[in-house]
Amino acid sequence: MDLATLIGVIAGSTVLLAAIFLGGSAGIFFNVPSVLIVVGGTLATAFIRVGMSDVFNSFKVAMNAFSVKLSNPQEVIQEIVNLANIARKNGLIVLEQQPINDPFLKKAIMYCVDGHEAEFIEEVLQKEVTLTVERHELGQGVFKGMGDSAPAFGMIGTLVGLVQMLATMEDPATIGPSMAVALLTTMYGAILANLFFIPIADKLALRSKEEERNRQLIIEGVLGILKGLNPRVMEEFLETFLAPEDRKGGQDKR
Amino acid sequence: MDLATLIGVIAGSTVLLAAIFLGGSAGIFFNVPSVLIVVGGTLATAFIRVGMSDVFNSFKVAMNAFSVKLSNPQEVIQEIVNLANIARKNGLIVLEQQPINDPFLKKAIMYCVDGHEAEFIEEVLQKEVTLTVERHELGQGVFKGMGDSAPAFGMIGTLVGLVQMLATMEDPATIGPSMAVALLTTMYGAILANLFFIPIADKLALRSKEEERNRQLIIEGVLGILKGLNPRVMEEFLETFLAPEDRKGGQDKR
Amino acid sequence: MDLATLIGVIAGSTVLLAAIFLGGSAGIFFNVPSVLIVVGGTLATAFIRVGMSDVFNSFKVAMNAFSVKLSNPQEVIQEIVNLANIARKNGLIVLEQQPINDPFLKKAIMYCVDGHEAEFIEEVLQKEVTLTVERHELGQGVFKGMGDSAPAFGMIGTLVGLVQMLATMEDPATIGPSMAVALLTTMYGAILANLFFIPIADKLALRSKEEERNRQLIIEGVLGILKGLNPRVMEEFLETFLAPEDRKGGQDKR
Amino acid sequence: MDLATLIGVIAGSTVLLAAIFLGGSAGIFFNVPSVLIVVGGTLATAFIRVGMSDVFNSFKVAMNAFSVKLSNPQEVIQEIVNLANIARKNGLIVLEQQPINDPFLKKAIMYCVDGHEAEFIEEVLQKEVTLTVERHELGQGVFKGMGDSAPAFGMIGTLVGLVQMLATMEDPATIGPSMAVALLTTMYGAILANLFFIPIADKLALRSKEEERNRQLIIEGVLGILKGLNPRVMEEFLETFLAPEDRKGGQDKR
Amino acid sequence: MDLATLIGVIAGSTVLLAAIFLGGSAGIFFNVPSVLIVVGGTLATAFIRVGMSDVFNSFKVAMNAFSVKLSNPQEVIQEIVNLANIARKNGLIVLEQQPINDPFLKKAIMYCVDGHEAEFIEEVLQKEVTLTVERHELGQGVFKGMGDSAPAFGMIGTLVGLVQMLATMEDPATIGPSMAVALLTTMYGAILANLFFIPIADKLALRSKEEERNRQLIIEGVLGILKGLNPRVMEEFLETFLAPEDRKGGQDKR
């Protein structure tokens, strides 16, 4: 798990737990039926929405997003420029023996080595990017959906509790504690959605965008290699994909 | 009904019923007038929104979505590649006698056999896909609309109950039970929307997307057959429609 | 008014009225000042939003949507195919004397008869469709706007009532009835928005989409006539605009 | 100020004031600190959002929208058709001396007279339209933003009031009036947003759309003049920009 | 910090602090645990959403947006027109020695001097604009995300407080103050979101749009220089990027 996420999850949980334990009566905050309503209801609707395998897939995708690192775009640019230099000197065929780190770049280079036309290669790679983005959107959709369901089931649980409390209101002394229990599901739902599901969905969206940008960069680079562009010009062009402070070439040289 | 949906519906209902029955006074939760307001109001607005036949159609479409299985894209690719091989050896005409499982693929092949131009075929098939997506959106719209109406009528029912209770507030002992009843419609609306209507609308959207992707795959494949593309190249291209782990050709061979 | 809408409006009103009258004290639910705040405020903002004539226009448009029937697309296809057959045999000029039901089709055919170029005709008809859709969006916008304003003025009315009640809270016995009255505006706003304004806006949107589809169908058909397409091919192509179960040609013949 | 807006503002304010004064204790509804929180907070955030000059600009734009009348599209079409007739007989140069009411049309004609190419003229005019729409969106954005801020600061004010009331709750008799005052900010925020800011933002959007349509009409017309189109054909084409009932040519002649 | 923002922040804070201090018991409004829940939870989720470096980056970007001034478009147009005049007389190469204020314009001119083709220059600059907009969107996204999280954690904090209060409700006299404390987190969340995070996100969006417009203007201008357009015509064209009242050329000369 990457450091920021770890810090985020720990810090977020800590402030909530601190608030709960400093308040004195921490025991009241843990209530198994309330957990069951919120977690059970949220999972149940996720199953209806997308099917079981996609729910588990999304959890796997989310795990990946937090542990596997994306290729660094600067390094990918270096790799592409190196390949362009080699291709210029020794021809495209030699690229087959080069070690290539990024799997998408490797695949793209293989298409070049196989002698497909530039147009075909661009179409296949572009379609791959589009369809990968769509698959990622499914994963985000699962978490966004759970981010909608959790507060809804929290509210449903609270309504169930309120109805029970109101229907059998005999001893006024029990009203407070009963209502506290009823409110727990709303609290669980809000925490699950706002500390976990929604930020994770956002993280997946951000990550998908970064991966897409990396791949667009690779497609531009590989097309440049096929066209036999000057590697220095290509580097300058590919560096527009980086934030200004991450560029090494271009305007600094002037 | 597919398994995940069944599990989802059963699990979701179970946690709610458990919460209700474990609370002791389950009787209070079932109230015919409250059901009538929420279900009646939701159906009534659906009738105004899209007309009767579209409401019933949507229920049929939803039933289908949960019971009929879509063609598996891997099998469709296999089928297309087989057809491409046959067409290469024996010409397009022979395809007429091939058994074809997917109805959309069958239709597309028939257009080829009939000797229409590639451009016309692409236009007709593409328009068919666009218009099918629009028809599916109508179905999703009905469920999304009911997902909006159910909580709204839940709230209206609760307001009616509160006004009645407040206007005739004489014996404080009746306040609790009256308010419990008033809250029931809100609870019904929330459950209907969040456990059924919204997840079903999402399911239909997902399913429509999958069907659209299948059909795009078929269009690409049939156009490839018409152009006389190499079946192996075509397979590699069509496999970009699959998730990486479902592909058999392409990079694994290397 | 078409049947489904009638059923919807009656059924929706009936369940609400039943809930109100079965509760015993129906008199409390009818309060003239509350009606004035919600209806007056909603109309007032509609006037600010779009001007008076557009508000009244929208009501007229909505009335039309519920009473005038659209041309049935199957019949329009039949009409176009007939015209295509006639034009094939006797030339375009003869079409002038044909009786044509759909006014948009009639207009399109007149352009053909007048000898305009296909490109000009397509541009004019397409622009007409785009601008008609924009005009319809204005009508939907009025109802969507009222669907937003009605609950807002309901809440404002309730706040006014609550402030009055709280400021002069002397006899606890009057709290209940005063609060009941305060809640009425919220209830009125919710009913107006959810049973009328929002479903009507949705209906107008759906209707606009259907009309647009009809007109696209007509444009395609008329362009086909101008190109001298084979009427049978044209029928097959135009039938992609229909749901599969409404088609008579195409795959069934096989 | 156009009549509908005036009626809308007066009618909306009247129903609210009637509700307040008929309730008896009108004095309680006017509270200077509450006004300051809502109006001050709303203006303060508008300053942060877009800067001072844009806030004041938006007010000016809104004033214009309600007082200055747009060119009537029918008259603009007449003007264009006249110019087309003159240009046909006496050449483009003569147009310089024609009196032209609409400033955008005047500008477009000047470009023609200056001898620029049709392509350049279309590009400049189209860019002008796009950038005008963007400037209008800024104005709408200011009002939409205030429509979001006002209820938010209303809620913040109520929370401040509630905290003060709850923290010093000694004499139960003061609870009612304190809470009434606390609720006032929520009411102010709701009224400001729903009776003024949101409808004005909608009005500006509608007006911007109408102006854009007018300008598109002028661009089409001027390009037609440059191409030397038949004025009668041009009129028929430009009338597609009007609602069917506002057209004088076209289908009625038949 | 620009003046409007400063005024906005000071004015917004002043009205809130005035409301708090005039209410008498200002002490109750400052509660360290409540601050920790809202600020801690909001930051924690921001870390999960985008990672630490992006959170800090966004704060830096926001600081910049409020302190660094954008190039004034009128001056940029003057600069471009001057360069165009020089290039016309002495050729493109001479531009290298001209002092150029705007860094993006400087970069674009360097590409021209380097002898790249117009097409390549347009592609690189356009891609740079697109990717800069995407980077800005990340910054806005961080603030928008915090604008969503702050009220959510405010509500969570209030729920924690309510549960504690209700579970241990013994002395009715403590209910008021406990509830006041519970409501504080909701108030903090609302203030943070509505006075800071949301307006800042809007400001960044507006600023990003202005910068994009400036850069589009520069791209058009540099392409004009490359094509050797007449500087006077170019000025007239570039002035469409300005609001009518900021233009000096064009229609006023007539």
Side-chain angles (χ1 to χ4, degrees):
Chain A
M1 200 183 267
D2 69 330
L3 195 62
T5 310
L6 204 68
I7 294 181
V9 169
I10 292 178
S13 311
T14 305
V15 292
L16 291 177
L17 290 174
I20 285 170
F21 280 99
L22 293 179
S25 55
I28 182 97
F29 282 94
F30 303 97
N31 182 286
V32 175
S34 301
V35 172
L36 280 181
I37 287 184
V38 176
V39 174
T42 302
L43 270 178
T45 50
F47 279 6
I48 300 177
R49 259 182 245 258
V50 296
M52 244 178 313
S53 62
D54 282 328
V55 173
F56 292 124
N57 248 326
S58 309
F59 284 117
K60 228 170 55 190
V61 166
M63 274 300 138
N64 274 350
F66 288 117
S67 58
V68 180
K69 277 196 91 68
L70 283 177
S71 299
N72 178 320
Q74 282 129 298
E75 287 165 19
V76 173
I77 292 177
Q78 263 331 301
E79 220 168 357
I80 293 173
V81 171
N82 286 344
L83 292 171
N85 275 317
I86 294 169
R88 268 214 146 183
K89 280 183 228 138
N90 312 97
L92 279 170
I93 297 298
V94 190
L95 296 183
E96 192 167 11
Q97 290 130 24
Q98 298 301 316
I100 300 176
N101 285 326
D102 188 278
F104 188 75
L105 177 56
K106 189 174 180 67
K107 186 172 179 187
I109 291 293
M110 281 311 152
Y111 279 124
C112 299
V113 172
D114 283 3
H116 290 296
E117 282 172 43
E119 219 174 66
F120 175 82
I121 295 179
E122 183 172 8
E123 206 186 334
V124 178
L125 295 179
Q126 206 68 60
K127 184 143 274 166
E128 174 111 29
V129 172
T130 315
L131 292 162
T132 305
V133 168
E134 271 183 25
R135 272 194 297 273
H136 286 182
E137 274 168 6
L138 179 60
Q140 299 156 35
V142 171
F143 281 97
K144 247 185 235 158
M146 294 197 297
D148 286 346
S149 291
F153 278 93
M155 196 190 77
I156 290 172
T158 296
L159 285 167
V160 170
L162 283 180
V163 169
Q164 284 170 340
M165 179 195 90
L166 290 164
T168 59
M169 203 160 67
E170 276 150 15
D171 176 9
T174 65
I175 292 180
S178 304
M179 204 160 154
V181 171
L183 282 179
L184 278 182
T185 53
T186 293
M187 193 189 84
Y188 290 164
I191 292 175
L192 277 178
N194 289 294
L195 187 55
F196 298 103
F197 297 144
I198 297 175
I200 288 173
D202 281 0
K203 175 82 174 190
L204 291 179
L206 178 68
R207 173 113 174 166
S208 166
K209 219 173 209 165
E210 280 172 1
E211 193 170 341
E212 190 190 352
R213 197 158 53 218
N214 262 7
R215 294 191 161 193
Q216 289 295 2
L217 185 160
I218 288 172
I219 292 177
E220 299 277 2
V222 168
L223 291 176
I225 291 178
L226 277 172
K227 279 191 232 158
L229 274 195
N230 180 333
R232 212 190 60 86
V233 172
M234 222 163 83
E235 185 171 13
E236 212 169 318
F237 178 57
L238 293 179
E239 283 193 336
T240 51
F241 281 93
L242 303 178
E245 58 273 23
D246 294 335
R247 296 176 193 171
K248 70 158 221 247
Q251 64 262 70
D252 304 53
K253 277 187 284 191
R254 278 172 193 118
Chain B
M1 199 184 267
D2 68 329
L3 195 62
T5 309
L6 204 68
I7 294 181
V9 169
I10 292 178
S13 310
T14 305
V15 293
L16 291 178
L17 290 174
I20 286 170
F21 280 99
L22 294 180
S25 55
I28 182 98
F29 282 95
F30 303 97
N31 182 285
V32 176
S34 301
V35 172
L36 280 182
I37 287 184
V38 176
V39 174
T42 302
L43 270 178
T45 50
F47 279 7
I48 300 177
R49 260 182 243 258
V50 297
M52 246 178 311
S53 61
D54 283 329
V55 173
F56 292 124
N57 249 325
S58 309
F59 284 116
K60 227 170 55 191
V61 167
M63 273 300 137
N64 275 349
F66 289 117
S67 58
V68 180
K69 278 197 89 70
L70 282 177
S71 299
N72 177 319
Q74 281 129 298
E75 286 165 19
V76 173
I77 292 177
Q78 264 330 302
E79 220 168 357
I80 293 173
V81 171
N82 285 344
L83 292 171
N85 275 317
I86 294 169
R88 268 215 146 183
K89 280 182 229 141
N90 312 96
L92 278 170
I93 297 298
V94 190
L95 297 183
E96 193 167 8
Q97 290 129 24
Q98 298 301 317
I100 300 176
N101 285 324
D102 188 279
F104 188 74
L105 177 56
K106 189 174 180 67
K107 186 173 179 187
I109 291 293
M110 281 310 151
Y111 279 124
C112 300
V113 171
D114 282 2
H116 291 295
E117 283 173 42
E119 219 173 67
F120 174 82
I121 295 179
E122 183 172 7
E123 207 186 333
V124 177
L125 296 179
Q126 206 69 60
K127 183 143 273 165
E128 174 109 30
V129 172
T130 315
L131 292 162
T132 305
V133 168
E134 272 183 25
R135 273 193 298 274
H136 286 181
E137 274 168 6
L138 179 60
Q140 300 156 33
V142 171
F143 281 97
K144 247 186 234 157
M146 293 198 298
D148 285 346
S149 290
F153 278 92
M155 196 190 78
I156 291 172
T158 296
L159 284 168
V160 170
L162 283 179
V163 169
Q164 285 170 340
M165 179 195 91
L166 289 163
T168 60
M169 202 160 68
E170 275 150 13
D171 176 8
T174 65
I175 293 180
S178 303
M179 206 160 151
V181 171
L183 282 179
L184 278 182
T185 53
T186 293
M187 193 190 84
Y188 290 164
I191 291 174
L192 277 178
N194 289 294
L195 187 55
F196 298 103
F197 297 144
I198 298 174
I200 288 174
D202 283 0
K203 175 81 174 191
L204 291 178
L206 178 69
R207 172 114 175 166
S208 166
K209 221 174 208 163
E210 280 171 2
E211 193 170 341
E212 190 190 352
R213 197 157 53 217
N214 262 6
R215 295 191 161 192
Q216 289 294 3
L217 185 160
I218 288 172
I219 292 176
E220 300 276 2
V222 168
L223 291 176
I225 292 178
L226 276 172
K227 279 191 233 156
L229 275 194
N230 180 333
R232 213 191 59 87
V233 172
M234 223 163 83
E235 184 171 12
E236 210 168 321
F237 178 58
L238 293 179
E239 282 193 335
T240 52
F241 280 93
L242 304 178
E245 60 272 22
D246 294 337
R247 296 174 194 172
K248 69 157 221 242
Q251 64 262 70
D252 304 54
K253 277 187 285 191
R254 278 171 193 117
Chain C
M1 200 183 265
D2 68 329
L3 195 62
T5 310
L6 204 67
I7 294 181
V9 168
I10 292 178
S13 310
T14 305
V15 292
L16 291 177
L17 290 175
I20 285 169
F21 281 99
L22 294 180
S25 55
I28 183 99
F29 282 94
F30 303 97
N31 183 284
V32 176
S34 301
V35 172
L36 280 182
I37 287 184
V38 176
V39 174
T42 303
L43 270 178
T45 50
F47 279 7
I48 301 177
R49 260 182 243 258
V50 297
M52 246 178 310
S53 61
D54 283 329
V55 172
F56 293 124
N57 248 326
S58 309
F59 284 117
K60 227 170 56 191
V61 167
M63 273 300 137
N64 275 349
F66 289 116
S67 59
V68 179
K69 278 198 90 69
L70 283 176
S71 298
N72 177 319
Q74 281 128 300
E75 287 165 18
V76 173
I77 291 177
Q78 263 331 301
E79 219 168 358
I80 293 172
V81 171
N82 286 344
L83 292 171
N85 275 317
I86 294 169
R88 269 217 145 182
K89 280 182 227 140
N90 311 98
L92 279 169
I93 297 298
V94 189
L95 297 182
E96 192 167 11
Q97 291 131 23
Q98 298 301 317
I100 301 175
N101 285 325
D102 188 280
F104 189 74
L105 177 56
K106 189 175 181 67
K107 186 174 178 187
I109 291 293
M110 282 309 150
Y111 280 123
C112 299
V113 171
D114 282 3
H116 291 295
E117 283 171 42
E119 217 173 68
F120 174 83
I121 295 178
E122 183 172 7
E123 206 186 334
V124 177
L125 295 179
Q126 206 69 61
K127 183 143 273 167
E128 174 111 29
V129 172
T130 316
L131 292 163
T132 305
V133 168
E134 273 183 25
R135 273 194 298 273
H136 286 182
E137 274 168 6
L138 179 60
Q140 299 157 34
V142 171
F143 281 97
K144 248 187 235 158
M146 293 198 298
D148 286 346
S149 290
F153 278 92
M155 196 190 78
I156 290 172
T158 296
L159 284 167
V160 170
L162 283 180
V163 169
Q164 285 169 339
M165 179 195 91
L166 290 164
T168 60
M169 202 160 68
E170 275 151 13
D171 176 8
T174 65
I175 293 181
S178 303
M179 207 163 150
V181 171
L183 282 179
L184 278 182
T185 54
T186 294
M187 193 189 84
Y188 290 164
I191 291 175
L192 277 178
N194 289 293
L195 187 54
F196 298 103
F197 297 144
I198 297 174
I200 287 174
D202 282 0
K203 176 81 174 190
L204 291 179
L206 178 69
R207 171 115 174 164
S208 166
K209 220 174 208 164
E210 279 171 2
E211 192 170 342
E212 189 190 352
R213 197 156 53 217
N214 261 6
R215 294 191 163 193
Q216 289 295 2
L217 185 160
I218 287 171
I219 292 177
E220 300 276 2
V222 168
L223 291 176
I225 291 178
L226 276 172
K227 279 191 233 156
L229 275 194
N230 180 333
R232 214 192 57 87
V233 172
M234 221 162 85
E235 185 171 13
E236 212 168 319
F237 178 58
L238 293 180
E239 282 193 334
T240 51
F241 280 93
L242 304 178
E245 59 272 24
D246 294 336
R247 296 175 194 171
K248 68 158 222 241
Q251 66 262 70
D252 303 53
K253 275 188 285 191
R254 279 173 193 118
Chain D
M1 200 182 265
D2 68 329
L3 195 63
T5 310
L6 204 67
I7 293 180
V9 169
I10 291 178
S13 311
T14 304
V15 292
L16 291 178
L17 290 174
I20 285 169
F21 280 99
L22 293 180
S25 55
I28 182 99
F29 282 94
F30 303 97
N31 182 284
V32 176
S34 301
V35 172
L36 280 182
I37 287 184
V38 176
V39 175
T42 303
L43 270 178
T45 49
F47 279 7
I48 301 177
R49 259 182 243 257
V50 297
M52 244 178 311
S53 61
D54 283 328
V55 173
F56 292 124
N57 248 325
S58 309
F59 284 117
K60 227 169 57 191
V61 167
M63 274 299 138
N64 275 349
F66 288 117
S67 58
V68 180
K69 277 198 89 69
L70 283 177
S71 299
N72 177 319
Q74 281 129 299
E75 288 166 17
V76 174
I77 292 177
Q78 262 332 299
E79 221 168 357
I80 293 172
V81 171
N82 285 344
L83 293 171
N85 275 317
I86 294 169
R88 269 215 144 182
K89 281 182 226 139
N90 311 98
L92 279 169
I93 297 298
V94 190
L95 296 182
E96 192 165 12
Q97 291 131 22
Q98 297 301 316
I100 299 176
N101 285 324
D102 188 279
F104 189 74
L105 177 56
K106 190 177 180 65
K107 186 173 178 188
I109 290 294
M110 283 308 152
Y111 280 123
C112 299
V113 171
D114 283 2
H116 291 296
E117 282 171 43
E119 218 174 69
F120 174 83
I121 295 178
E122 184 172 6
E123 206 186 333
V124 177
L125 296 179
Q126 207 68 61
K127 184 144 272 167
E128 174 111 30
V129 172
T130 316
L131 292 162
T132 305
V133 168
E134 272 182 26
R135 272 194 298 274
H136 286 182
E137 274 168 7
L138 179 60
Q140 299 156 34
V142 171
F143 281 96
K144 248 187 235 158
M146 295 197 297
D148 286 346
S149 291
F153 278 92
M155 196 190 78
I156 290 172
T158 296
L159 285 167
V160 170
L162 282 180
V163 169
Q164 285 169 340
M165 180 196 90
L166 290 163
T168 59
M169 202 161 67
E170 274 150 15
D171 176 9
T174 65
I175 293 180
S178 304
M179 207 162 152
V181 171
L183 282 179
L184 278 182
T185 53
T186 293
M187 193 189 83
Y188 289 165
I191 291 175
L192 277 179
N194 289 293
L195 187 55
F196 298 103
F197 297 144
I198 298 174
I200 287 174
D202 282 0
K203 175 81 173 190
L204 291 179
L206 178 70
R207 173 118 173 162
S208 165
K209 219 173 210 167
E210 279 172 2
E211 193 171 342
E212 190 190 351
R213 197 158 52 219
N214 261 6
R215 294 189 163 193
Q216 289 295 2
L217 185 159
I218 287 171
I219 292 176
E220 300 277 1
V222 168
L223 292 176
I225 292 178
L226 277 172
K227 279 191 233 157
L229 274 195
N230 180 333
R232 214 192 58 87
V233 172
M234 221 162 85
E235 185 171 12
E236 212 170 318
F237 178 57
L238 294 179
E239 282 193 336
T240 51
F241 281 93
L242 304 178
E245 59 271 24
D246 295 336
R247 297 175 195 172
K248 69 160 221 244
Q251 65 262 73
D252 304 51
K253 274 187 288 189
R254 281 178 189 112
Chain E
M1 200 182 266
D2 68 331
L3 195 62
T5 311
L6 204 68
I7 294 181
V9 169
I10 291 178
S13 311
T14 304
V15 292
L16 292 177
L17 290 174
I20 286 169
F21 280 100
L22 294 179
S25 55
I28 182 98
F29 282 94
F30 303 97
N31 182 285
V32 176
S34 302
V35 172
L36 281 181
I37 287 184
V38 176
V39 174
T42 302
L43 271 178
T45 49
F47 279 8
I48 301 177
R49 258 183 245 258
V50 297
M52 243 178 312
S53 61
D54 282 329
V55 173
F56 292 124
N57 248 325
S58 309
F59 283 118
K60 228 169 55 190
V61 167
M63 274 300 138
N64 275 348
F66 288 117
S67 58
V68 180
K69 276 196 91 68
L70 283 178
S71 299
N72 177 320
Q74 281 129 299
E75 287 165 18
V76 174
I77 291 177
Q78 263 332 300
E79 220 168 356
I80 293 173
V81 171
N82 286 344
L83 292 171
N85 275 317
I86 294 169
R88 268 215 146 183
K89 281 184 225 137
N90 312 97
L92 279 170
I93 297 298
V94 190
L95 297 183
E96 192 166 11
Q97 290 130 24
Q98 298 301 316
I100 300 177
N101 285 325
D102 188 279
F104 188 73
L105 177 56
K106 189 175 180 66
K107 187 173 178 188
I109 290 293
M110 282 311 152
Y111 279 124
C112 298
V113 171
D114 283 2
H116 290 295
E117 282 172 42
E119 219 175 67
F120 174 83
I121 295 179
E122 184 172 6
E123 206 187 333
V124 178
L125 295 179
Q126 206 68 60
K127 184 144 273 167
E128 174 112 29
V129 172
T130 316
L131 292 162
T132 305
V133 168
E134 272 183 26
R135 274 194 296 274
H136 286 183
E137 274 168 7
L138 179 60
Q140 300 157 34
V142 171
F143 281 97
K144 248 187 236 157
M146 295 198 297
D148 286 345
S149 291
F153 278 93
M155 196 191 78
I156 290 173
T158 295
L159 284 167
V160 170
L162 283 179
V163 170
Q164 285 169 339
M165 180 195 90
L166 290 164
T168 59
M169 202 160 67
E170 276 149 14
D171 176 8
T174 66
I175 293 180
S178 304
M179 205 162 154
V181 171
L183 282 179
L184 277 183
T185 52
T186 293
M187 193 189 83
Y188 290 164
I191 291 175
L192 278 178
N194 289 293
L195 187 54
F196 298 102
F197 297 144
I198 297 174
I200 288 173
D202 282 359
K203 175 82 173 189
L204 292 178
L206 178 68
R207 173 116 173 164
S208 166
K209 218 172 209 166
E210 280 173 1
E211 193 170 341
E212 190 190 352
R213 197 158 53 218
N214 261 7
R215 294 190 162 194
Q216 290 294 2
L217 185 160
I218 288 171
I219 292 177
E220 300 277 1
V222 169
L223 291 176
I225 292 178
L226 277 172
K227 279 190 233 159
L229 274 194
N230 180 332
R232 212 191 60 86
V233 172
M234 223 162 85
E235 184 171 13
E236 212 169 318
F237 178 57
L238 293 180
E239 283 193 336
T240 51
F241 281 93
L242 304 178
E245 59 272 23
D246 295 335
R247 297 176 195 172
K248 70 159 221 247
Q251 64 261 73
D252 304 52
K253 276 187 286 190
R254 280 175 191 116

